[in-house]
Amino acid sequence: MTEIASVLGDAQRAAEARGGLVDKLLAGKMITTPKVEAAFRAVPRHLFTPEVSLEAAYADDVVRTKRDEHGVVLSSVSAPWLQARMLESARVGPGMRCLEVGSGGYNAALMAELVGPTGDVTTVDIDSEVIDRARRRLAAAGYDQVRVVLADAEDGVPASAAYDVILVTAQAWDIPPAWTGQLVEGGRLVVPLRLRGLNRTVTFESRGGWLESTSVLFSGFVPMRGAGAHDKPRLPLDGERIALVFDDDLPESADQLAGVLDMPRADVDTGVIFPNMVSFETLQLWLATAFDGYCHLTVDKEKAAGRIPPTVGMGHAAVDGASLAYLGGHKVDDDMFRFKVHGFGPDAATLAEAFAAQVRHWNHAHRDGPGPRVTVHPRTTPDSELPTGRVIDRRHSRIVLSWP
């Protein structure tokens, strides 16, 4: 009897913790639809996160489930707020056929709840350990109807296509043709996509051979493995203390940047003031579209303290020939922050002023706006058939960021 009482007590505590999490997501407007609320109340998240305590299982935070020998996270159960936002954006509903790329079990169970008995859910992952774990966790939670597939998702899962929704839970650098080709017309692809080094989860709708965004969400995921993996080229500027990171190949002028931090510095005040602790994600995207040489300046703050003025955010920067400029600033008071730009190199003043001008333009034209529209086109699409905007060429696709 004592053992039975303990089991019942654990189930009661789990139900209460799950209810508390859902109430929090509702209060924060992360969940806005009854069907997603019902799915989150039904799926026992703690059964998919046995590595952590009950409290941690129902915290609104990521649970890391696998690391490599260097401690780098290879697989995780995403934060509930992000899963809720992605599912609502995907508009998963009864009877739909869905594919999840990047498995863990929990998200697939939520999708199974949303599609119901007439729907179909497939989850795929490249890692056999992750797949075995997902299969065990799904069975333990009562969702063994979910199809679990071991494969490189670069080719999708054609056996169970076509899909109303493809939901990707790993950071992608490109959109493989299989993902677009295995969607029904008007179907939705929700994918964490790297846009010039910036991580954004984009919901696309299929437009018959190309994709158009319906929402863009700031987020972060573990990187894609397998054929879709892509390393970020790194250019050291001061040993390992300070470096530039690019999303594509290094610029042809990379050798000219040697010693750039030892050259005269230019500082430009943008005059733009922004609230502390508030995301300026549209500014990041605007800068990424404004400069051909957009990149990120990474600084080891302990080892490079005082070497250069502090960066802001991800170290948003631009290079032009032998010169470099990046975004910095300082707190005005406890509530507000003022953006500045710091430049180095022979044309530091010119590049820093151009960078500051783009910050001012964003402040005037896009600060309170919706951000860019993102479209994805086949790699063979000629320039004349692309919308106006910043074109990002990838292995399989041409991605365009267009601002209103």
Side-chain angles (χ1 to χ4, degrees):
M1 292 295 291
T2 302
E3 184 177 342
I4 294 174
S6 176
V7 171
L8 292 174
D10 289 345
Q12 179 64 28
R13 286 192 293 275
E16 290 174 355
R18 186 159 61 252
L21 171 63
V22 176
D23 291 343
K24 180 179 179 180
L25 295 173
L26 287 167
K29 299 189 184 305
M30 298 296 107
I31 293 177
T32 62
T33 59
K35 61 183 181 181
V36 172
E37 176 189 354
F40 271 80
R41 291 195 187 279
V43 179
R45 190 172 191 255
H46 65 285
L47 295 185
F48 295 91
T49 57
E51 300 88 349
V52 300
S53 67
L54 194 65
E55 291 74 20
Y58 288 106
D60 192 10
D61 199 2
V62 62
V63 175
R64 295 160 184 84
T65 56
K66 184 177 180 180
R67 299 177 185 267
D68 67 11
E69 65 274 16
H70 306 294
V72 176
V73 178
L74 299 177
S75 184
S76 65
V77 178
S78 299
W81 73 266
L82 181 53
Q83 291 174 306
R85 291 287 299 274
M86 291 175 71
L87 289 168
E88 295 216 332
S89 185
R91 305 200 304 277
V92 180
M96 288 187 178
R97 183 173 291 270
C98 301
L99 172 66
E100 180 194 34
V101 173
S103 193
Y106 178 63
N107 199 60
L110 292 169
M111 296 173 77
E113 285 286 340
L114 290 167
V115 303
T118 61
D120 185 272
V121 176
T122 299
T123 182
V124 59
D125 200 283
I126 195 172
D127 191 318
S128 60
E129 291 183 5
V130 171
I131 282 296
D132 289 344
R133 180 185 184 281
R135 186 175 286 114
R136 293 194 309 272
R137 296 294 99 205
L138 285 162
Y143 295 97
D144 47 9
Q145 77 271 31
V146 173
R147 187 179 298 105
V148 184
V149 177
L150 174 64
D152 189 329
E154 183 85 352
D155 298 320
V157 182
S160 49
Y163 303 103
D164 300 286
V165 170
I166 297 177
L167 195 150
V168 184
T169 60
Q171 197 77 47
W173 181 78
D174 196 3
I175 304 294
W179 295 0
T180 303
Q182 290 174 20
L183 274 178
V184 301
E185 176 67 15
R188 287 168 295 284
L189 168 66
V190 184
V191 54
L193 187 60
R194 214 165 77 203
L195 301 169
R196 307 206 80 192
L198 299 173
N199 299 331
R200 298 293 188 272
T201 294
V202 186
T203 299
F204 293 103
E205 287 193 356
S206 173
R207 299 286 188 247
W210 62 283
L211 303 170
E212 180 176 16
S213 66
T214 59
S215 72
V216 180
L217 173 67
F218 184 89
S219 65
F221 280 83
V222 297
M224 189 72 65
R225 291 191 278 167
H230 184 84
D231 293 331
K232 299 179 184 180
R234 181 181 176 90
L235 178 64
L237 298 180
D238 187 13
E240 290 301 311
R241 301 192 305 170
I242 303 174
L244 290 174
V245 179
F246 295 84
D247 202 28
D248 296 296
D249 296 334
L250 293 177
E252 294 181 0
S253 62
D255 292 343
Q256 301 178 40
L257 291 165
V260 67
L261 299 180
D262 297 317
M263 300 187 71
R265 190 179 91 208
D267 300 317
V268 179
D269 187 352
T270 69
V272 176
I273 297 175
F274 199 75
N276 286 322
M277 307 305 293
V278 174
S279 173
F280 52 95
E281 58 196 76
T282 57
L283 173 58
Q284 299 170 14
L285 286 167
W286 176 256
L287 294 173
T289 58
F291 294 99
D292 292 340
Y294 178 80
C295 55
H296 294 143
L297 183 68
T298 65
V299 180
D300 186 318
K301 294 182 179 179
E302 292 185 3
K303 295 180 180 179
R307 178 75 166 89
I308 60 174
T311 60
V312 170
M314 294 178 62
H316 309 282
V319 297
D320 187 3
S323 297
L324 160 72
Y326 68 90
L327 188 65
H330 64 273
K331 289 178 65 175
V332 176
D333 53 36
D334 289 340
D335 299 318
M336 304 302 291
F337 186 90
R338 190 180 188 98
F339 289 117
K340 297 182 71 173
V341 176
H342 308 290
F344 292 87
D347 296 316
T350 301
L351 183 57
E353 183 53 53
F355 201 111
Q358 293 297 340
V359 176
R360 298 184 192 112
H361 178 82
W362 163 82
N363 186 60
H364 172 72
H366 300 293
R367 175 168 171 164
D368 299 317
R373 167 179 172 256
V374 186
T375 57
V376 179
H377 310 263
R379 187 66 179 83
T380 55
T381 305
D383 290 348
S384 60
E385 296 180 14
L386 295 175
T388 302
R390 167 63 63 177
V391 180
I392 306 171
D393 283 325
R394 296 294 192 229
R395 186 183 307 119
H396 300 302
S397 64
R398 309 193 75 187
I399 305 169
V400 184
L401 277 67
S402 305
W403 290 81

